[in-house]
Amino acid sequence: MQKDLKLTNDQTAKVTSLFTKQDASIVNLKSETKVGSEDYKTKLAAIQKSGDTELQGIIGKEKFQQYKANIKAYEQQVNINTSTKIKSVKSSVNIK
């Protein structure tokens, strides 16, 4: 992320701190709320929205948009790879 977005050392430190704080919030949420419940989904979305707002404040709008594009591209690649693997396994055992 630091190289892709050309973040300064200060930005990198702030982003690392933000992600650490966000991870702790999610761990806490998982311990207090049933994962998958509507309450969990609502609270998780709030954590993510807050994190996105703070991240954009740290790295700026342009770099934030590039970050989101990078995430989307990664997710698409993972989905493609997973789908290809599933199709390969299904064909190897004759499942349609």
Side-chain angles (χ1 to χ4, degrees):
M1 182 174 173
Q2 181 180 17
K3 289 181 181 181
D4 289 342
L5 301 178
K6 297 180 175 90
L7 300 180
T8 65
N9 289 337
D10 184 54
Q11 287 173 318
T12 301
K14 288 178 181 177
V15 168
T16 300
S17 176
L18 168 64
F19 286 169
T20 300
K21 181 177 76 172
Q22 200 171 18
D23 287 346
S25 294
I26 293 170
V27 167
N28 188 41
L29 176 64
K30 286 179 179 180
S31 71
E32 295 177 349
T33 312
K34 182 179 178 186
V35 175
S37 69
E38 286 304 313
D39 187 38
Y40 175 83
K41 291 175 186 177
T42 301
K43 289 177 179 178
L44 180 61
I47 291 169
Q48 291 170 332
K49 184 176 181 180
S50 173
D52 282 353
T53 301
E54 192 171 342
L55 179 61
Q56 187 170 339
I58 295 168
I59 65 176
K61 185 176 182 177
E62 186 177 308
K63 289 181 181 180
F64 179 76
Q65 289 172 340
Q66 181 60 48
Y67 166 76
K68 290 303 242 185
N70 291 352
I71 296 275
K72 187 175 183 175
Y74 172 77
E75 288 173 345
Q76 288 174 340
Q77 185 60 43
V78 169
N79 286 339
I80 290 169
N81 288 341
T82 302
S83 177
T84 302
K85 288 178 184 176
I86 289 170
K87 287 177 185 176
S88 175
V89 168
K90 284 182 176 181
S91 69
S92 70
V93 292
N94 271 340
I95 299 174
K96 295 183 182 193

